[in-house]
Amino acid sequence: MSKGIVIKAENISKQYRLGQVGTGTLSHDLKRWWALARGKEDPYLKIGMENDRTQKAKGDYAWALKDVSFEVAQGDTLGIIGKNGAGKSTLLKLLSRVTSPTTGNIKIKGRIASLLEVGTGFHPELTGRENIYLNGAILGMSKKEITSKFDEIVDFSGVEMYIDTPVKRYSSGMYVRLAFGVAAHLEPEILIVDEVLAVGDAEFQKKCLGKMGDVASDGRTIIFVSHNMTAVQSLCKSAIYLKAGQLVDAGRTDKVINNYLSKEVKNCTYRKWENNNEAPGNEHIRLLSAEIITDLKNETDVITVSTALKIRFEFINFTDEWLINLSLLLFTAAGNCIFNVGAGPENLKKGERYVSVLEIPGNFLNDEMYTIQLLFVKDGSVILFNIEELLVFEVFDEEREGNWYGKWQGAVRPTMLKFSLT
Amino acid sequence: MENVTINSEDIDSLWDTVISPKKSYLHLNVREIWRYRDLLMLFVKKDIITVYKQTILGPIWFLMQPVFTTLIYMLIFGKMGGMADKTVPSILFFMGSVTLWNYFSDTLNVTSRTFSDNASVFGKVYFPRIILPISKVISGLIKFFIQFGLFIMIWIYFLVVKAKTPINPNINILLFPLFICILSGLSLGFGLFITSLTNKYRDLIFLVSFGVQLMMFATPVLYPISKYPRYQFGLFLNPLTSVFEGFKYAFLGSGVLDFRWLLYSSVFTLIVLISGIFMFNKVERKFIDTV
């Protein structure tokens, strides 16, 4: 064992049975039992398909994880990234000892605490005070530890006034704050965190991220799963990238994230729906097409930082007598919003076909992957229809003047802003 | 220089936790349970105090159930059915039985649902799973002793005030802790066994609740065993029988206390408890996939 390694996962796999438990599973269980009783290996370990959730299941078994090995050093913050269904949650469950692997093993050194959810075991009838103790103990703290941190927890969550009121009377925000307050004051040697940060308001999220950063700088080990690449980027020193249950890449965070983005996010600059039933939309709005128009001549030409873009889409309006607003949001692939521009409010005619175009000038975007989200809002407040990742495109860098070729920082690269030097 | 060879077992011992597909089933990690003793006590506290939240009478409600059940049993089985032991006050006869039986059946019912009731907590965080059923046994015990306190008060009333009534407590009262151990062990052992068996295939769960009800009739709860001498051997095969009869003999002086059958019950309890833990260990590590 090399020194300083606190988690070592060796060839872990996890198989799940698809479908319902019933007579079919019973016959498999009997066959498995019979094979094991004769000293043979489990016949169902050899089969099972890749965990691609969008495909129709061909067999009865799926591998949520397959032969994953990695190591985590002490004081490291490891991010786990991957799309939905890549096996991130399964891996966290195995690390938290909620379930055990089908094959392989994980060795852990030190006290481990996992936050797959905030407020596990909260009882609605108990008061805030009682729940702090109960939840803290479930997460592995002793009563003494909780008592010594009690004031801090109450302070952090800001519910002092309600501390002796049953939590069923709490607003959902207070509930989450209290729950996260307990979690944030855990002091294990290894902390496993699922996307619990995606709760509460922005200020509270910042507070939580800050707390996690503190924990990491204390020399404790953190394993963190998130879809928010910015959070992973800023919190984690290293990362592993899972795809369909298999480990694709491991190493420094920025390298792994780039690999992830390039493999998982596909350019999609033109979409047209012939059939109204397949087109995205609902009884109010239905999209007909969406595309990014450039003045590039050749097929092989790519969008670069100087290319001017027109984002054009067509839709049919089925609503009547409402003022409709359109919002177009541009995101980086890491999930940060660059801008949100609106059109309207407009009183649209029922059954009419409308075309909307947004121009993005050249020399404005950076060399990044971008996604576009479209929102239709009625009367300024009610969302009629919302589509994320309507279009996805990548902007490439151009040959630069000067002799620096590193990654240009920033979500945009607006050259119209002049920075004088005299 | 000597060559130092470290075999792989030594290396493994440097890790605090090894998560692997297989584990010894007969392993009860007492040290780990001890480390989580605060959690155990908080679970017990939760069980006790959530029962009477938002009530005015509070813990007094724990007494209502045995009091009313006793009164109804006295009326139906005592007066109308004539099943009670006529040699002792029927309130003591029924209340003693009902208190013991409620402890046993409540604990069995709740521990036999350990996995299904707590799937949401078990699915999110690790702690030694056995803590939960143990906490149910302890909170059941606390409830039992509150109810038993009432029994003792009535018992003392009959001993002191109505001294003429024929109750003859004897030295066998010292066996009381053993009776409680057998009841706890049986309810926990059966509960662990049932919750493990019904985790994947739930068929059996339908048998449990009415099975427990039926079992009450196969146990001398509502009648003294002396009433049915022909079936005595069969009734004593039920490990609960010697506890109920022994309890009545020790406290009231009316009942059958047979040490051979008590030994049988103790051994039976141990076997049930050990096999319950065995089954529980076997299932607990993967139950969340199949619950």
Side-chain angles (χ1 to χ4, degrees):
Chain A
M1 186 184 71
S2 57
K3 212 177 171 180
I5 300 291
V6 289
I7 298 179
K8 189 172 181 179
E10 295 166 325
N11 298 317
I12 46 172
S13 303
K14 180 73 187 174
Q15 192 185 45
Y16 278 112
R17 179 78 163 80
L18 300 171
Q20 296 191 46
V21 170
T23 47
T25 52
L26 183 63
S27 81
H28 280 198
D29 280 351
L30 291 173
K31 277 180 205 160
R32 178 179 294 133
W33 176 81
W34 178 234
L36 293 175
R38 284 177 302 163
K40 296 196 173 169
E41 75 178 294
D42 184 347
Y44 298 105
L45 272 187
K46 289 175 214 142
I47 60 171
M49 48 178 231
E50 205 178 63
N51 190 20
D52 181 354
R53 290 180 193 176
T54 56
Q55 299 284 306
K56 192 172 165 6
K58 288 185 208 82
D60 290 327
Y61 293 91
W63 290 99
L65 279 179
K66 189 100 174 102
D67 290 327
V68 173
S69 304
F70 61 92
E71 286 181 350
V72 186
Q74 198 206 335
D76 200 1
T77 42
L78 177 79
I80 301 176
I81 57 178
K83 286 179 95 163
N84 286 333
K88 303 187 298 288
S89 299
T90 305
L91 183 56
L92 284 200
K93 275 189 182 168
L94 293 179
L95 285 169
S96 335
R97 299 170 73 189
V98 163
T99 181
S100 42
T102 310
T103 62
N105 60 57
I106 307 168
K107 293 167 181 166
I108 296 166
K109 211 161 71 174
R111 221 174 101 182
I112 188 161
S114 56
L115 282 178
L116 303 192
E117 170 190 78
V118 290
T120 308
F122 261 39
H123 193 291
E125 296 287 348
L126 295 178
T127 65
R129 182 188 305 275
E130 288 161 343
N131 269 314
I132 289 178
Y133 277 97
L134 183 62
N135 185 231
I138 286 178
L139 295 173
M141 282 196 263
S142 71
K143 214 169 163 179
K144 226 174 92 191
E145 277 178 83
I146 305 168
T147 307
S148 70
K149 297 232 171 69
F150 188 84
D151 293 336
E152 264 181 81
I153 294 173
V154 176
D155 208 39
F156 183 88
S157 41
V159 294
E160 187 155 15
M161 195 176 182
Y162 291 89
I163 200 67
D164 289 312
T165 304
V167 296
K168 64 178 176 181
R169 311 244 180 270
Y170 281 29
S171 75
S172 53
M174 281 159 64
Y175 187 94
V176 165
R177 277 157 191 270
L178 185 70
F180 198 89
V182 181
H185 290 83
L186 273 175
E187 279 185 352
E189 280 136 352
I190 302 167
L191 182 65
I192 296 175
V193 191
D194 203 351
E195 285 191 283
V196 284
L197 293 174
V199 294
D201 49 42
E203 187 201 353
F204 188 68
Q205 281 188 23
K206 233 159 107 189
K207 211 165 156 183
C208 299
L209 278 169
K211 188 79 197 169
M212 295 239 327
D214 293 349
V215 171
S217 58
D218 278 359
R220 279 176 278 151
T221 311
I222 298 185
I223 295 183
F224 178 55
V225 161
S226 180
H227 281 111
N228 183 342
M229 290 303 146
T230 320
V232 174
Q233 181 92 61
S234 57
L235 275 174
C236 303
K237 286 180 215 156
S238 57
I240 60 178
Y241 162 27
L242 294 176
K243 187 176 182 182
Q246 271 153 332
L247 189 83
V248 177
D249 195 7
R252 284 189 41 216
T253 308
D254 46 358
K255 188 195 96 185
V256 176
I257 287 184
N258 281 340
N259 193 355
Y260 166 76
L261 293 179
S262 66
K263 283 216 172 81
E264 300 280 358
V265 187
K266 298 234 159 56
N267 261 10
C268 173
T269 56
Y270 177 74
R271 296 172 83 177
K272 191 173 170 64
W273 294 275
E274 299 293 341
N275 186 338
N276 262 0
N277 295 326
E278 282 168 20
N282 52 30
E283 69 271 29
H284 308 300
I285 297 287
R286 198 159 291 280
L287 281 178
L288 296 172
S289 70
E291 62 181 312
I292 291 169
I293 303 167
T294 59
D295 49 12
L296 299 171
K297 303 278 184 313
N298 303 319
E299 289 244 328
T300 52
D301 285 350
V302 293
I303 300 171
T304 66
V305 286
S306 66
T307 314
L309 306 173
K310 277 183 192 149
I311 300 166
R312 176 185 184 277
F313 52 92
E314 265 180 290
F315 63 94
I316 297 184
N317 168 53
F318 298 113
T319 61
D320 211 359
E321 297 168 19
W322 286 332
L323 285 176
I324 305 288
N325 273 79
L326 262 67
S327 270
L328 188 149
L329 289 86
L330 186 77
F331 287 90
T332 62
N336 290 322
C337 186
I338 311 301
F339 60 67
N340 174 0
V341 291
E346 202 73 48
N347 204 338
L348 302 180
K349 281 188 198 129
K350 193 173 177 177
E352 271 307 277
R353 174 188 283 248
Y354 288 91
V355 175
S356 237
V357 179
L358 173 76
E359 285 185 43
I360 300 177
N363 296 313
F364 174 70
L365 297 176
N366 201 355
D367 62 321
E368 278 270 0
M369 199 91 188
Y370 293 95
T371 72
I372 287 167
Q373 181 188 356
L374 198 57
L375 270 172
F376 291 84
V377 182
K378 135 191 161 189
D379 296 340
S381 58
V382 182
I383 294 174
L384 289 179
F385 177 57
N386 172 19
I387 180 164
E388 289 173 26
E389 294 191 15
L390 175 63
L391 295 170
V392 181
F393 61 97
E394 188 168 6
V395 178
F396 289 90
D397 209 351
E398 286 182 329
E399 265 182 55
R400 286 186 211 153
E401 290 170 23
N403 44 17
W404 182 71
Y405 301 104
K407 166 85 176 99
W408 201 283
Q409 294 288 304
V412 289
R413 198 195 291 183
T415 45
M416 61 276 230
L417 304 182
K418 295 291 178 227
F419 190 24
S420 67
L421 178 66
T422 48
Chain B
M1 277 293 278
E2 278 179 80
N3 267 337
V4 184
T5 51
I6 304 171
N7 67 38
S8 63
E9 229 157 78
D10 286 334
I11 291 177
D12 279 351
S13 67
L14 293 173
W15 300 98
D16 294 322
T17 316
V18 176
I19 304 169
S20 59
K22 289 216 166 55
K23 189 178 90 172
S24 149
Y25 295 147
L26 261 183
H27 166 88
L28 188 63
N29 193 338
V30 180
R31 234 175 67 198
E32 200 182 20
I33 295 174
W34 178 246
R35 201 162 73 71
Y36 278 91
R37 64 191 180 280
D38 286 341
L39 179 62
L40 178 62
M41 291 336 285
L42 282 163
F43 275 141
V44 172
K45 193 178 156 199
K46 180 192 90 175
D47 280 347
I48 297 293
I49 64 178
T50 49
V51 172
Y52 57 83
K53 281 264 168 170
Q54 264 187 4
T55 63
I56 292 163
L57 292 179
I60 291 175
W61 283 109
F62 283 132
L63 298 175
M64 293 300 171
Q65 192 199 0
V67 166
F68 284 116
T69 327
T70 303
L71 291 178
I72 287 167
Y73 285 175
M74 276 170 73
L75 186 70
I76 294 178
F77 296 100
K79 288 269 188 300
M80 290 154 71
M83 287 169 85
D85 191 340
K86 294 282 183 337
T87 60
V88 294
S90 69
I91 186 164
L92 285 180
F93 177 85
F94 281 119
M95 188 162 234
S97 299
V98 162
T99 312
L100 287 179
W101 181 258
N102 280 350
Y103 169 60
F104 173 76
S105 68
D106 288 355
T107 310
L108 175 55
N109 274 325
V110 70
T111 49
S112 65
R113 292 192 311 262
T114 303
F115 284 134
S116 48
D117 284 359
N118 300 289
S120 61
V121 174
F122 285 171
K124 295 295 176 192
V125 66
Y126 174 81
F127 52 85
R129 270 56 174 120
I130 197 123
I131 286 218
L132 252 169
I134 292 177
S135 78
K136 298 293 180 195
V137 172
I138 298 175
S139 55
L141 264 182
I142 292 174
K143 223 167 85 183
F144 169 76
F145 277 111
I146 294 174
Q147 298 173 348
F148 188 67
L150 187 65
F151 170 83
I152 289 294
M153 285 193 312
I154 299 171
W155 182 67
I156 290 172
Y157 169 80
F158 274 98
L159 269 183
V160 179
V161 183
K162 289 191 138 195
K164 267 184 255 165
T165 46
I167 54 171
N168 302 302
N170 46 59
I171 187 71
N172 292 309
I173 282 188
L174 294 178
L175 287 171
F176 180 65
L178 177 67
F179 297 151
I180 296 307
C181 284
I182 292 177
L183 285 185
S184 308
L186 279 178
S187 54
L188 178 63
F190 276 129
L192 294 179
F193 205 83
I194 294 165
T195 193
S196 313
L197 279 182
T198 52
N199 167 51
K200 190 160 185 184
Y201 300 106
R202 297 189 184 164
D203 305 62
L204 272 176
I205 215 142
F206 299 103
L207 287 176
V208 173
S209 53
F210 80 79
V212 173
Q213 275 175 340
L214 290 181
M215 206 157 141
M216 185 171 94
F217 297 107
T219 311
V221 177
L222 300 172
Y223 53 87
I225 200 166
S226 53
K227 208 152 190 142
Y228 305 102
R230 278 178 60 196
Y231 304 112
Q232 216 169 46
F233 182 80
L235 284 171
F236 266 118
L237 282 178
N238 172 357
L240 292 166
T241 301
S242 52
V243 172
F244 279 80
E245 282 295 314
F247 173 83
K248 284 173 200 158
Y249 180 73
F251 280 83
L252 307 174
S254 162
V256 181
L257 178 63
D258 187 325
F259 282 95
R260 285 167 303 174
W261 282 116
L262 202 55
L263 180 69
Y264 160 80
S265 295
S266 310
V267 173
F268 195 102
T269 305
L270 264 181
I271 294 171
V272 168
L273 194 55
I274 289 170
S275 47
I277 291 172
F278 178 88
M279 287 294 290
F280 191 81
N281 279 343
K282 193 173 162 181
V283 171
E284 67 159 2
R285 290 153 45 75
K286 283 192 180 166
F287 97 96
I288 203 73
D289 303 341
T290 48
V291 71

